[in-house]
Amino acid sequence: MYIDNTKENRALKNVVSSMAIEEMYFSEDFIREMLKVNKGEKTTEELRQELLKKYVRC
């Protein structure tokens, strides 16, 4: 996966790296979704709601 070297993307890279140090890995699809938030294509609330729909059991 190639990501442009911008200030926002470096911050995201730091988050992903910090999580990996703790052996907590994000999927490539989730990283793409976080990039959409970085670009303003999606809000954090939209991403949160999508994750709730996907993982919460009723």
Side-chain angles (χ1 to χ4, degrees):
M1 172 182 253
Y2 176 78
I3 301 171
D4 292 331
N5 188 22
T6 65
K7 182 179 178 181
E8 294 83 10
N9 290 346
R10 284 192 300 271
L12 179 58
K13 182 191 87 155
N14 290 339
V15 170
V16 172
S17 299
S18 296
M19 295 297 285
I21 288 170
E22 299 296 327
E23 296 185 19
M24 300 171 76
Y25 303 100
F26 293 118
S27 69
E28 195 170 313
D29 290 334
F30 186 70
I31 293 171
R32 282 193 181 100
E33 293 300 315
M34 289 192 296
L35 286 168
K36 288 180 185 177
V37 172
N38 253 358
K39 294 177 187 176
E41 297 173 6
K42 184 181 283 193
T43 66
T44 54
E45 185 60 27
E46 290 171 333
L47 179 57
R48 182 180 163 280
Q49 290 300 321
E50 289 174 9
L51 292 172
L52 287 172
K53 285 179 188 175
K54 184 174 181 179
Y55 292 108
V56 172
R57 294 185 181 142
C58 297

